[in-house]
Amino acid sequence: MASLLVRNGRVLDPAQELDGISDVLLEDGRVSRIARGLQAPGSTVLDASGLIVAPGLIDIHVHLREPGREDEETIQSGSEAAAVGGFTSICCMPNTDPVNDNPAVTSFILKEAERGALTRVFPIGAISVGSAGERLAEIGEMVNAGAIGISDDGKGVMDGQLMRRAMEYSLPFKIPLIEHCEDLNLSARGCMNEGYHSTVLGLKGMSRTAEDAMAARDIMLAELTGAHIHIAHLSTRGAADLVRQGKKKGIHVTCEVCPHHFTLSDAACRHYDTNTKMSPPLRTEDDIEALREAIVDGTVDCIVTDHAPHNPNEKMLEFDRAPFGIIGLETALGLVLTHLYHPGLISLRRVVELMSTQPAQLINQPLGHLKAGTAADLTLFDPDAEWVYDLGQTKSKSRNSPFHGTALKGRVAATIVAGKIVYQSPEYFKE
Amino acid sequence: MSPEAIAPESGASTPPTSRGGPVSFNAKHLLGIEPLSVDQIQLILETAKSLREISTRPIKKVPTLRGKTVINLFFEASTRTRTSFEIAAKRLSADAINISTSSSSIVKGETLVDTARNLEAMAPDVIVIRHSSAGAPHQLAGTCSACIVNAGDGAHEHPTQALLDALTILDHKPTLKGLRVAIIGDIAHSRVARSNCLLLGKMGARVTVCGPPTLLPVGFDRIGSADGSLAVTDRMDDALEGADVVMMLRIQMERQREAFFPSVREYFRYYGLTARRMRSAKPDAIIMHPGPINRGVEIASEVADGPYSVILGQVASGVAIRMAVLYLVIGGREHPSRALEG
Amino acid sequence: MSIMGPIEKEELMSSDQIARTIRRLAREILDHNRGQHGLALVGIRRRGVPLAERLARAVWEMQAVKVPVGHLDINLYRDDLSTVATQPIVQSSEIDFPLSQKIVVLVDDVLFTGRTVRAAMDALVDYGRPKAIQLCVLIDRGHRELPIQAHFVGKAVETDAVEMVEVRLNEIDCREGVLLVEPAS
């Protein structure tokens, strides 16, 4: 009977209104007790003095590339990077090769995860067959096999009628429809945000309206159908306003934002570094401000990474030819703490809500809290530790991050999944 | 040789100055007009003026870049620009190697960086690159040890074109400062427009860009003009009003398919340069075009061949500008410190 | 330039001496070539140019004939372009008369290593095929690195290699004189 005693940390569990120094006893992969001065003879002890002990972080938007592009990432390597970043659960997008648009792929992912992943892995199925936007994928079969949501992420569902059908059809399964909002005609094969910088750089721009227009359509369809629409990687002021209004009207709309979208603007593209190319693209300073406002006022439900590994050779292509996306699992918490918590925009409690409590609710999983009897997924972090991100140390198989060499304040000390330590920082724990 | 042996013979160790300070190019690459200072632009123009004379001699060649290798790496077909760079290299006695790569190597999966690494084996001193992707020269500069000269990258910049345009203007006008320049046509997809706006803005000209709103990109009014000297208009007569220089840009026929405008006929009606429209410009205004010209699309034949047209002069200036650029970037490399021989 | 300027050691020529030397050199050039027939003066930028103009004026004063004067920029012909620290500014050469059948007298302020003259001769033959090239300098300070000698020398001066000879001409420097200076250590 394996047990682990996490001692003397500041236990922060918004779901139970817990915030104070306490011990947490984990037994048989579950949370057993939270109290001060716990004694548990025979159990491993982890001294968490000076650290925050939170329910494990959950990233509901990552790309693990397996099956199909195991050179870029595998379920195992992606989960290792996740563990380093403090994530205990990750949800993988279906745009693999083959696309996760049927229960066989869903099951394959779960089996592979069981075999080698350090974290929990929840597959997201495709909305349409091959994510081609033409016919509905076997949504029910995938849910039955373990999918927790559906998405054609990577591109928007251009056919409004198909989107309406998908929403209606998925109602009985009580899963979120996660939409990559981008009207592909309006984004016009652009490769960065349309604005002053795209004009100066001579690069084709993707207008913010391309995101806003589809977000507006999807929120209206959610109102019509009663489905749960979740706006993926929201990046514009316009889309944030739409979500805010939708929530006010009682529409079941939620949204997520990525750390790069509230920390970097399109000015970062000026050296044609393809590690500043992602979709949606880096937007303007005004959008950054709007995203921060939306995080503060509760419009934003969760922070995700949109971790998108790419082969270095492909990222070495010309800016307009290089693939979209950056890796982000290892930098997410550091960026959130550095840019949102330390400047005083949000509290640590809110950080935990955005990265654990609320994403768990969004995917309808009994995670994101430390109530007795729940899965013993914990993240221990030091909100004040200063460090520099080094891509040379990454556990991901890819290297496409714009944050190499970036100084961050706040880092993960240990990650515990089902009562087992899957990552511990040598800075905090010797052994 | 010891440094002392070639110490200055006279007091001429201070080079001529343009604006008070000593001038030197001090740049390894020419990636665009944007990073250039006014002094650097001035130096390129002055050097080009000095070099122009070489092309009028019986022996049109100087030994300056003997033993240097210039690779013209063209990923986009352009006979005119490539030939101009080739002649420039040869007049300076450099070995010029032309490599025209269609998109085939990209299809094969070879990246720009791979290509560049292969070229490094030839130990080139300069790589002149033309590429359909904006920023390709910048990526090359990051991986190669050669000097990189941008000969046009996507819709980004075409610095030598802007420089030769400036040289041509200076053949007809005493200074760029205060000059009213109208740039008309497909601004959105034009690297020539960007480089010219940047250069003319830095040199104190007042530029108005004009085209249908579909071909005027977001934020163009902020390009290269911290002082707001750049104006944007969709009315051609406004752009031409009082202009000293009229620069017409080429209209790509495929823009019609992409619904930037409905038809060539309609485009010409609103944005074509005719003799009647030219009456809004100053009587001594000159007309320029980076070529090749679509007669009857952006410019009427009578105007293109008319007395104000300096389109041919532009070609002659091109070689001199490219000679100056090759000379300056090669000389702009890092050297062991050594005094100047008198 | 360093804050510690070069140390002036000796005045080699005054303004008056320069003027007298120019007249003597003009006379020597005419004597050597038995008159001005077919003669042309080409000054090497920068200080060779005003010297060539002055020589032409002296010839005019002596014989009332105009000798054509050209300006030559030798920077494109230098052998040290890839090693000099400061890149020389290229200025135009102006030789607007045909060189063939001309006796060209190259004019420069100081003859030192001989490399400038070597470059000037290479440049000159690119303009045409002169009947002969002769060399006239205001100062010959020795330390030749090439087999080059001047036909006409204003003043030969023994110098140390580290010393510098500074020729100042009104047209360029707004003052007149020749100085021997030593660079500040």
Side-chain angles (χ1 to χ4, degrees):
Chain A
M1 195 167 107
S3 68
L4 180 66
L5 182 61
V6 179
R7 189 171 265 167
N8 272 330
R10 176 178 159 195
V11 178
L12 191 47
D13 180 10
Q16 300 185 81
E17 301 291 341
L18 279 183
D19 183 359
I21 307 292
S22 205
D23 300 342
V24 182
L25 180 64
L26 311 173
E27 288 180 308
D28 292 333
R30 305 206 159 261
V31 177
S32 161
R33 289 183 66 197
I34 300 178
R36 295 194 79 148
L38 282 179
Q39 297 297 323
S43 60
T44 313
V45 176
L46 204 57
D47 180 10
S49 307
L51 300 176
I52 304 291
V53 177
L57 306 184
I58 298 169
D59 185 350
I60 67 167
H61 192 144
V62 303
H63 299 268
L64 295 179
R65 303 296 184 222
E66 188 178 357
R69 286 304 299 268
E70 290 81 358
D71 60 315
E72 296 182 326
E73 199 78 285
T74 60
I75 292 166
Q76 185 179 341
S77 67
S79 76
E80 285 171 15
V84 171
F87 292 101
T88 55
S89 294
I90 50 180
C91 302
C92 56
M93 283 296 174
N95 60 338
T96 45
D97 183 12
V99 172
N100 181 15
D101 62 0
N102 64 71
V105 179
T106 310
S107 303
F108 167 82
I109 293 167
L110 286 169
K111 247 179 235 137
E112 282 303 303
E114 204 172 321
R115 211 164 54 89
L118 296 185
T119 63
R120 295 177 204 278
V121 175
F122 297 101
I124 297 167
I127 292 173
S128 61
V129 174
S131 285
E134 286 160 6
R135 301 186 285 126
L136 284 187
E138 292 175 317
I139 296 166
E141 293 282 6
M142 289 188 290
V143 170
N144 185 49
I148 50 79
I150 51 172
S151 177
D152 273 356
D153 185 57
K155 50 184 183 276
V157 176
M158 287 294 286
D159 181 340
Q161 183 68 350
L162 180 77
M163 192 60 182
R164 174 186 173 165
R165 295 280 179 251
M167 286 189 185
E168 288 171 339
Y169 187 79
S170 62
L171 280 171
F173 305 112
K174 301 203 181 319
I175 49 164
L177 279 89
I178 305 168
E179 173 81 305
H180 171 120
C181 290
E182 179 187 353
D183 182 312
L184 295 169
N185 292 323
L186 284 172
S187 62
R189 286 174 288 119
C191 58
M192 70 174 287
N193 181 56
E194 179 183 86
Y196 169 71
H197 292 286
S198 66
T199 295
V200 167
L201 293 168
L203 291 169
K204 269 198 185 135
M206 309 158 85
S207 79
R208 287 175 286 170
T209 307
E211 178 170 339
D212 302 351
M214 193 170 274
R217 181 202 73 180
D218 287 341
I219 292 169
M220 292 166 103
L221 286 174
E223 183 175 27
L224 176 71
T225 59
H228 173 196
I229 182 76
H230 178 73
I231 310 290
H233 41 49
L234 181 139
S235 72
T236 65
R237 177 178 287 279
D241 285 344
L242 287 163
V243 170
R244 191 178 290 119
Q245 288 161 21
K247 286 186 165 180
K248 212 170 280 173
K249 282 174 78 176
I251 300 168
H252 196 180
V253 54
T254 54
C255 71
E256 63 188 33
V257 298
C258 305
H260 49 269
H261 283 132
F262 60 77
T263 55
L264 295 176
S265 76
D266 54 356
C269 302
R270 66 179 171 272
H271 302 298
Y272 296 98
D273 178 358
T274 56
N275 289 327
T276 61
K277 178 179 177 180
M278 68 289 288
S279 178
L282 297 175
R283 303 289 191 184
T284 66
E285 293 292 343
D286 179 61
D287 294 298
I288 291 178
E289 200 186 303
L291 293 191
R292 291 180 179 196
E293 285 164 18
I295 289 166
V296 170
D297 76 7
T299 302
V300 172
D301 298 276
C302 62
I303 308 279
V304 301
T305 63
D306 194 7
H307 179 83
H310 283 292
N311 184 300
N313 288 326
E314 289 170 31
K315 268 295 192 186
M316 253 194 276
L317 286 167
E318 297 81 346
F319 196 93
D320 55 353
R321 289 164 212 235
F324 291 101
I326 59 168
I327 60 172
L329 285 165
E330 296 168 335
T331 48
L333 182 64
L335 288 165
V336 167
L337 292 169
T338 306
H339 293 276
L340 299 178
Y341 164 66
H342 285 294
L345 293 176
I346 60 173
S347 64
L348 281 175
R349 176 202 162 107
R350 184 89 182 109
V351 171
V352 176
E353 284 175 352
L354 285 164
M355 299 187 76
S356 179
T357 323
Q358 293 181 171
Q361 290 162 2
L362 281 172
I363 60 167
N364 305 304
Q365 295 299 315
L367 299 166
H369 57 76
L370 299 175
K371 290 176 186 159
T374 56
D377 293 2
L378 273 70
T379 302
L380 278 56
F381 64 93
D382 177 349
D384 298 313
E386 295 182 23
W387 61 294
V388 173
Y389 183 52
D390 176 9
L391 271 175
Q393 305 289 315
T394 184
K395 295 287 184 190
S396 170
K397 292 181 94 172
S398 294
R399 297 282 181 276
N400 49 313
S401 166
F403 296 111
H404 176 64
T406 300
L408 297 170
K409 191 170 180 185
R411 83 185 295 181
V412 176
T415 309
I416 299 166
V417 175
K420 220 177 106 209
I421 300 168
V422 294
Y423 168 74
Q424 53 184 324
S425 163
E427 310 271 328
Y428 293 90
F429 306 103
K430 294 193 180 75
E431 186 203 2
Chain B
M1 249 187 298
S2 69
E4 291 79 14
I6 36 99
E9 291 187 29
S10 61
S13 53
T14 312
T17 61
S18 70
R19 305 166 87 227
V23 181
S24 68
F25 192 61
N26 276 337
K28 187 181 168 186
H29 310 295
L30 178 68
L31 299 178
I33 298 295
E34 202 208 345
L36 294 183
S37 67
V38 171
D39 281 343
Q40 285 173 314
I41 292 169
Q42 206 105 47
L43 179 61
I44 297 171
L45 294 175
E46 291 302 320
T47 306
K49 278 184 201 167
S50 301
L51 295 173
R52 203 143 51 164
E53 169 261 338
I54 293 166
S55 297
T56 65
R57 297 185 195 174
I59 296 169
K60 300 176 182 60
K61 204 176 181 81
V62 292
T64 319
L65 300 185
R66 218 154 41 117
K68 305 285 184 194
T69 304
V70 175
I71 294 182
N72 291 318
L73 179 60
F74 276 59
F75 290 90
E76 233 182 27
S78 165
T79 315
R80 290 148 37 95
T81 305
R82 188 189 44 68
T83 310
S84 181
F85 269 107
E86 187 180 349
I87 293 172
K90 288 181 170 168
R91 296 234 159 122
L92 290 168
S93 297
D95 296 314
I97 296 162
N98 296 321
I99 299 175
S100 295
T101 312
S102 61
S103 52
S104 61
S105 74
I106 293 155
V107 175
K108 274 186 277 168
E110 188 180 62
T111 64
L112 173 65
V113 175
D114 291 330
T115 309
R117 283 183 186 146
N118 288 333
L119 295 180
E120 286 280 271
M122 290 185 230
D125 296 278
V126 182
I127 297 176
V128 176
I129 175 173
R130 159 69 63 97
H131 200 290
S132 60
S133 289
H138 303 68
Q139 286 173 309
L140 210 54
T143 46
C144 288
S145 57
C147 306
I148 306 298
V149 173
N150 182 356
D153 62 326
H156 178 228
E157 281 225 48
H158 191 355
T160 57
Q161 177 71 42
L163 287 160
L164 79 88
D165 286 343
L167 194 63
T168 306
I169 294 172
L170 288 170
D171 286 339
H172 300 271
K173 308 286 170 192
T175 172
L176 297 174
K177 204 172 172 64
L179 222 54
R180 298 189 72 108
V181 183
I183 303 179
I184 297 160
D186 181 356
I187 307 298
H189 303 93
S190 175
R191 50 192 170 215
V192 176
R194 278 171 182 74
S195 287
N196 264 308
C197 287
L198 289 164
L199 186 148
L200 293 166
K202 282 175 199 256
M203 303 308 281
R206 296 175 58 198
V207 180
T208 303
V209 299
C210 173
T214 47
L215 292 173
L216 294 172
V218 182
F220 203 88
D221 54 322
R222 285 163 60 203
I223 279 202
S225 59
D227 59 346
S229 64
L230 188 97
V232 179
T233 176
D234 51 26
R235 292 174 48 87
M236 193 164 180
D237 290 331
D238 291 352
L240 289 175
E241 186 64 43
D244 296 286
V245 178
V246 180
M247 255 179 218
M248 298 304 295
L249 301 174
R250 188 178 155 75
I251 283 290
Q252 308 271 325
M253 295 302 178
E254 59 261 34
R255 303 290 175 231
Q256 194 180 322
R257 272 204 320 278
E258 295 163 21
F260 287 100
F261 54 86
S263 71
V264 163
R265 185 174 65 178
E266 185 166 325
Y267 181 86
F268 188 72
R269 172 184 296 280
Y270 289 97
Y271 300 101
L273 189 65
T274 59
R276 189 188 59 75
R277 280 228 167 84
M278 269 306 284
R279 279 185 229 135
S280 305
K282 290 221 180 106
D284 61 347
I286 56 169
I287 299 165
M288 308 174 74
H289 191 296
I293 301 174
N294 293 313
R295 287 165 191 270
V297 178
E298 66 259 353
I299 186 161
S301 268
E302 46 166 4
V303 181
D305 304 329
Y308 311 116
S309 171
V310 298
I311 291 162
L312 279 178
Q314 281 175 277
V315 180
S317 301
V319 172
I321 284 290
R322 279 145 193 153
M323 286 170 75
V325 166
L326 291 177
Y327 170 75
L328 291 170
V329 292
I330 286 184
R333 304 174 80 166
E334 281 169 39
H335 302 299
S337 179
R338 225 179 116 171
L340 179 67
E341 187 196 10
Chain C
M1 289 215 146
S2 61
I3 299 161
M4 287 272 287
I7 305 150
E8 295 183 8
K9 289 177 81 176
E10 190 188 339
E11 190 185 55
L12 299 176
M13 269 190 199
S14 67
S15 149
D16 279 355
Q17 284 168 316
I18 292 176
R20 252 178 284 137
T21 306
I22 293 283
R23 280 197 297 277
R24 194 195 83 222
L25 286 170
R27 168 62 55 207
E28 282 180 26
I29 291 169
L30 288 171
D31 290 350
H32 183 83
N33 294 301
R34 296 183 199 90
Q36 49 72 35
H37 187 70
L39 212 57
L41 295 162
V42 172
I44 299 174
R45 282 190 190 277
R46 298 169 68 212
R47 286 177 185 71
V49 170
L51 289 174
E53 301 282 2
R54 289 182 193 192
L55 284 168
R57 214 174 309 126
V59 169
W60 169 257
E61 280 159 11
M62 289 169 203
Q63 308 219 327
V65 287
K66 270 203 158 141
V67 177
V69 178
H71 306 172
L72 195 62
D73 184 277
I74 57 101
N75 281 315
L76 297 171
Y77 292 83
R78 298 169 66 113
D79 59 4
D80 59 350
L81 270 182
S82 53
T83 48
V84 287
T86 312
Q87 193 178 26
I89 311 277
V90 176
Q91 290 181 289
S92 59
S93 293
E94 290 155 32
I95 299 175
D96 48 12
F97 47 86
L99 289 183
S100 63
Q101 298 312 310
K102 282 272 188 314
I103 295 169
V104 176
V105 181
L106 278 173
V107 183
D108 203 0
D109 55 350
V110 180
L111 177 59
F112 183 22
T113 60
R115 290 178 188 271
T116 300
V117 176
R118 193 281 307 160
M121 288 193 288
D122 281 352
L124 212 53
V125 295
D126 277 357
Y127 284 88
R129 186 175 183 278
K131 188 175 166 193
I133 300 176
Q134 300 171 357
L135 177 61
C136 173
V137 296
L138 190 63
I139 304 289
D140 179 352
R141 57 165 298 192
H143 304 283
R144 214 77 77 237
E145 292 169 6
L146 296 173
I148 282 171
Q149 287 304 338
H151 293 72
F152 315 104
V153 176
K155 184 172 187 175
V157 185
E158 293 249 329
T159 60
D160 198 88
V162 294
E163 292 170 332
M164 295 189 295
V165 175
E166 272 195 28
V167 173
R168 293 166 177 173
L169 300 174
N170 278 329
E171 295 91 325
I172 290 171
D173 310 289
C174 303
R175 49 192 175 160
E176 195 83 0
V178 181
L179 294 172
L180 183 66
V181 298
E182 189 168 8
S185 48

